[in-house]
Amino acid sequence: MRTSTTVRGITVLSPTGALDHNSAAALESAITATGRLPCAVVDFSHVTFTDSTGINALLRANRSLQAAGGWLRLSSLPDHPLRTLEIVGVDQVIDIYPTLEAALRT
């Protein structure tokens, strides 16, 4: 995990490198450990790759936040990770924004 911050009560996570079997569990834990308002944005600007383990972690975290009355958004996806998420339909389940600023707008 590169960084984790809070902006207007929203947890912003900025992982780096690959979102795969080595890093997916840590990201999922960080997403679901949000504060009072169960809302999070994952800034993908430094993610180079994601596999099925990473995708499943995002989907589980999304379900967790929604069950708590919150949401998960993804932002700033480079072409390769974006294409992977679109192919498997994640973009139909989790909102994807072109920039972090857009994802933080409520």
Side-chain angles (χ1 to χ4, degrees), residues 33-72:
T34 59
R36 178 183 54 80
L37 184 64
C39 298
V41 175
V42 178
D43 174 4
F44 266 74
S45 59
H46 298 285
V47 173
T48 56
F49 172 81
T50 187
D51 69 6
S52 61
T53 310
I55 291 167
N56 284 320
L58 291 170
L59 293 171
R60 282 190 304 270
N62 183 56
R63 281 192 302 270
S64 246
L65 294 184
Q66 285 182 335
W71 45 257
L72 174 63

Side-chain angles (χ1 to χ4, degrees), residues 9-30:
I10 301 167
T11 300
V12 177
L13 302 147
S14 300
T16 60
L19 179 53
D20 59 13
H21 67 279
N22 291 319
S23 60
L27 179 62
E28 182 179 353
S29 292

Side-chain angles (χ1 to χ4, degrees), residues 1 4 6 24 44 48 53 61 68-69 74 87:
M1 182 71 55
S4 174
T6 302
F44 266 74
T48 56
T53 310
L74 310 179
I87 287 171

